[in-house]
Amino acid sequence: MAAQGAGMANKGPSYGMSRQVQDKIASKYDPELEQILVEWLSRQCGSGVGKPEAGKIGFQAWLKDGCVLSELINSLVTGDKPIKKIGSSPMAFKQMEQISQFLTAAEKYGVIKTDMFQTVDLWEGKDLAAVQRTLSALGSLAVTKDEGTYRGDASWFFKKAQENRRDFSDDQMKAGKNVIGLQMGSNKGASQQGMSYGSSRQIL
């Protein structure tokens, strides 16, 4: 059996370009947002989830097995809970499966694909700023939906813009097709009268 701790996360240090990329990703991680997210997740999920050590490493370790994330999405959904079985496991594939279930449920809840992190972003610590972005989007959705399940401070997340549908009758649509936009201009009264093109060329 492999030694404890051996696995995908054990990689040597990055050099050159990959090091620059990793440093750039790391610089996007927001310690202030981390504090808000930790406070929200603790309130939302209850004291049973505890709180992590401050900093990226503590934040990652707290969320890595997917259990806190699963508790979070279940606490936001009314009715049938999207994740039926939440269980901590020391096995890597079980932890990644739990994270994957959270991501599927978060997408069904309304988080858009561009706001979603990838499992490896959290599990391997590749992009914890992306994890923050997903959780922030989830918080904003919970505040916007206002279903009575959100247990944080309303000022922590902004409300998402709501769709503003407009329904036009067929007559209104037809009338709109006859309007020429001002940016297209008009050619009324345009002619070439008075234009001079120089003298004509003599052919000998």
Side-chain angles (χ1 to χ4, degrees):
M1 182 141 185
Q4 187 70 20
M8 288 187 284
N10 288 347
K11 292 193 171 38
S14 305
Y15 297 101
M17 190 62 149
S18 65
R19 178 60 184 227
Q20 287 177 334
V21 169
Q22 206 55 44
D23 287 348
K24 193 170 186 177
I25 290 169
S27 72
K28 293 180 180 176
Y29 185 82
D30 185 345
E32 288 178 28
L33 179 57
E34 175 197 307
Q35 291 176 345
I36 290 171
L37 292 171
V38 166
E39 189 58 39
W40 174 48
L41 269 65
S42 299
R43 281 196 203 177
Q44 192 70 40
C45 303
S47 58
V49 298
K51 285 189 179 182
E53 277 183 45
K56 281 170 57 170
I57 293 167
F59 188 68
Q60 180 203 5
W62 188 48
L63 300 176
K64 187 176 175 179
D65 69 359
C67 292
V68 174
L69 296 174
S70 298
E71 293 285 355
L72 172 66
I73 194 68
N74 276 356
S75 72
L76 291 172
V77 175
T78 54
D80 282 349
K81 301 303 175 196
I83 300 176
K84 307 291 181 222
K85 187 177 177 201
I86 301 172
S88 185
S89 169
M91 293 191 291
F93 80 93
K94 287 279 190 191
Q95 293 178 354
M96 287 193 252
E97 187 180 315
Q98 194 83 56
I99 294 168
S100 183
Q101 286 179 8
F102 161 77
L103 291 170
T104 302
E107 196 174 341
K108 281 184 185 159
Y109 188 72
V111 177
I112 57 175
K113 275 216 184 297
T114 53
D115 284 338
M116 299 291 273
F117 68 86
Q118 302 296 310
T119 303
V120 293
D121 293 337
L122 172 58
W123 204 87
E124 293 183 13
K126 284 187 180 279
D127 189 357
L128 293 174
V131 176
Q132 287 185 321
R133 192 169 53 247
T134 301
L135 293 174
S136 294
L138 195 58
S140 291
L141 268 170
V143 169
T144 305
K145 286 186 174 196
D146 196 21
E147 296 172 330
T149 56
Y150 177 74
R151 297 188 195 115
D153 190 312
S155 68
W156 287 344
F157 304 104
F158 63 90
K159 276 192 170 190
K160 290 203 174 277
Q162 298 292 297
E163 185 179 32
N164 190 0
R165 279 187 63 86
R166 291 172 173 84
D167 292 313
F168 296 103
S169 68
D170 286 341
D171 290 340
Q172 288 172 316
M173 293 299 280
K174 284 176 189 166
K177 287 178 183 171
N178 297 330
V179 175
I180 295 176
L182 289 175
Q183 71 268 24
M184 292 180 196
S186 168
N187 68 349
K188 280 194 176 158
S191 75
Q192 293 181 345
Q193 186 177 0
M195 301 284 282
S196 91
Y197 295 102
S199 58
S200 56
R201 199 169 77 178
Q202 298 289 322
I203 300 175
L204 299 170

